[in-house]
Amino acid sequence: MKKVVEGSHAVSEAVRLARVDVISAYPITPQTHIVELLSEYCSDGTLNARFLRVESEHSAMAALIGAASAGVRTFTATSSQGLALMHELLHWAAGARLPIVMAEVNRALAPGWNIWTEQTDSLAQRDTGWIQLYCEDAQEALDTTLQAFRLAETVHLPVMVVLDAFFLSHTYEPVDIPEPEEADRFLPPFQPAFCLDTENPAAFNQLAPPNAYMEMRRSMQDAMESALDVLDAIEDDYERLFGRRYGAVEAVHCDDADIILVTSGTITSTSRLVLRQLREKGEKVGLVKMKAFRPFPFEALRIHTAHAKKLAVIDRNFSFGAGGIFAQEIRSALCNLARRPLVFGYVAGLGGRDVTTDVIEDIYWRTKTSAHPEAESIWIGLHQPAPAA
């Protein structure tokens, strides 16, 4: 069924199709539309789920940890300060190997108070053990959310489906929404590998002494390392049913490219237009879209960038004292290769500032005309102070 919906509601529709059992959420702009629609579905009987209204995002995740431990399918959504408040419990969810799915609508962190898009909130959680998948448009947000449940329930790790505030969450687009019976063929009922059970009592979240803790963490890493292959197999099934797939990394015109733009989220859509315009002018430019950030797609990135001379990484995020976070990780992924492209890191669009076609084209020409990066992170679009009178 084709329907024009906003990006947030595309996520809501996927959660409905997943037949989630428990939803727990605290409202925070700009994710609120996701759980508002889900609360309506729970109220009118469209979705047979328990909707838990809690007093904070910390409590929302705590409630889902309890529900997931009892063996039911769970979902929440948050943004920015709400995600930061969840931070402690993100570790608990991942360490307990609970397949919770969360939509995270990227929003800048305060202060100053800002409700517009920036990826720093989700990337600040990169070491918590959550899988992170970044979406470009509303169709991908729906598809990825539905896939996320199957991925989480296969590798026993929580999954964060990430989408840009307003540029995606509040923008209306045509979206193909599967019929419930089609979704059921793709996503069977949840069968937990372990759960709270009075007939088979077990201890959960116990003290982990030094002779056990490292093995627990290694097991989580093994699950992370398997997740990309599992996602690939899931996408094979999804493509057979619905005709769509995305890949952990998407490469466009990279085989002959001297310079490759590396993007994530909605900046990718704008970059596709710039890519076409530059290719029409004869420029050897390609595009790599990063969908998966955790686990990091080392091998795919190396393959797709192998022939390039330079990468222009556009980061809508920043790690203070270091630089753009995708650029950092990409440099790390390439550093041991005998032949590797130069990595130019650009920071743009913080706090929701527009990243237009002109901005992206400027980034391309800066990269092409520079022998080496002028800095670890090149800030694009700063408002220069007015000259002294």
Side-chain angles (χ1 to χ4, degrees):
M1 175 180 65
K2 211 71 158 175
K3 191 175 179 181
V4 177
V5 298
E6 67 171 51
S8 291
H9 289 172
V11 174
S12 309
E13 294 299 334
V15 176
R16 173 182 63 83
L17 292 169
R19 301 187 188 277
V20 166
D21 298 295
V22 176
I23 300 162
S24 181
Y26 186 84
I28 182 171
T29 302
Q31 73 79 15
T32 309
H33 289 187
I34 296 173
V35 293
E36 278 181 343
L37 183 56
L38 288 171
S39 71
E40 292 176 18
Y41 284 164
C42 292
S43 177
D44 66 18
T46 301
L47 177 61
N48 183 23
R50 183 77 175 269
F51 193 98
L52 303 179
R53 294 173 294 172
V54 292
E55 72 276 9
S56 73
E57 291 86 357
H58 190 279
S59 297
M61 186 53 62
L64 291 194
I65 287 171
S69 297
V72 298
R73 187 170 283 163
T74 59
F75 175 81
T76 190
T78 194
S79 299
S80 186
Q81 308 302 132
L83 182 63
L85 186 58
M86 281 184 182
H87 176 77
E88 176 199 3
L89 290 174
L90 298 184
H91 287 281
W92 282 93
R97 306 298 298 276
L98 299 174
I100 298 167
V101 172
M102 173 165 61
E104 207 293 301
V105 183
N106 276 145
R107 168 186 151 183
L109 290 159
W113 199 249
N114 181 297
I115 63 170
W116 292 275
T117 196
E118 184 182 313
Q119 296 170 329
T120 306
D121 58 344
S122 57
L123 293 171
Q125 316 304 323
R126 57 184 156 169
D127 301 327
T128 57
W130 283 63
I131 293 168
Q132 290 193 10
L133 304 174
Y134 288 74
C135 299
E136 178 182 353
D137 56 34
Q139 185 68 66
E140 186 173 2
L142 184 150
D143 296 337
T144 302
T145 303
L146 200 53
Q147 292 171 6
F149 286 100
R150 188 159 149 188
L151 177 60
E153 292 163 12
T154 302
V155 302
H156 308 297
L157 284 174
V159 178
M160 194 181 297
V161 179
V162 189
L163 51 154
D164 288 353
F166 298 105
F167 293 120
L168 178 48
S169 66
H170 287 56
T171 299
Y172 281 75
E173 301 177 30
V175 175
D176 184 13
I177 302 173
E179 295 299 326
E181 57 273 14
E182 295 174 328
D184 290 343
R185 285 199 294 272
F186 171 75
L187 182 65
F190 177 37
Q191 298 293 329
F194 50 86
C195 65
L196 294 166
D197 183 357
T198 56
E199 299 298 319
N200 298 285
F204 289 79
N205 301 320
Q206 296 298 296
L207 180 71
N211 64 350
Y213 185 88
M214 276 189 71
E215 285 71 20
M216 292 169 62
R217 287 305 182 262
R218 179 65 220 192
S219 176
M220 289 174 65
Q221 175 62 13
D222 289 343
M224 271 286 185
E225 290 176 351
S226 74
L228 291 179
D229 287 338
V230 172
L231 177 61
D232 191 53
I234 288 170
E235 286 209 297
D236 285 344
D237 286 349
Y238 203 85
E239 186 176 26
R240 278 192 291 271
L241 283 168
F242 305 114
R244 295 184 295 276
R245 70 176 300 125
Y246 302 94
V249 172
E250 180 191 354
V252 185
H253 294 309
C254 287
D255 290 343
D256 67 343
D258 291 332
I259 297 172
I260 294 175
L261 302 170
V262 184
T263 62
S264 62
T266 56
I267 288 176
T268 305
S269 296
T270 313
S271 297
R272 292 183 193 275
L273 177 58
V274 175
L275 177 69
R276 186 171 74 238
Q277 292 170 343
L278 290 171
R279 296 286 297 193
E280 288 171 354
K281 296 175 183 177
E283 295 296 318
K284 291 186 176 181
V285 56
L287 173 68
V288 163
K289 168 189 167 182
M290 302 285 293
K291 178 185 179 74
F293 181 76
R294 284 293 183 269
F296 195 83
F298 291 97
E299 192 58 32
L301 179 72
R302 290 166 183 158
I303 290 169
H304 293 313
T305 63
H307 304 297
K309 296 175 182 176
K310 300 173 182 177
L311 306 183
V313 183
I314 306 175
D315 270 305
R316 192 172 233 148
N317 58 74
F318 195 74
S319 176
F320 296 103
I325 295 169
F326 275 87
Q328 291 177 47
E329 301 258 346
I330 290 167
R331 289 189 186 101
S332 173
L334 302 178
C335 71
N336 288 332
L337 299 181
R339 184 194 176 280
R340 57 186 181 273
L342 280 171
V343 177
F344 289 69
Y346 295 93
V347 175
L350 300 188
R353 187 165 298 181
D354 284 343
V355 181
T356 64
T357 55
D358 288 342
V359 169
I360 295 168
E361 188 165 351
D362 177 50
I363 286 170
Y364 172 75
W365 291 113
R366 280 172 179 251
T367 305
K368 182 173 182 177
T369 57
S370 299
H372 295 278
E374 62 192 71
E376 285 294 304
S377 292
I378 303 162
W379 289 62
I380 298 295
L382 288 175
H383 295 159
Q384 299 301 322

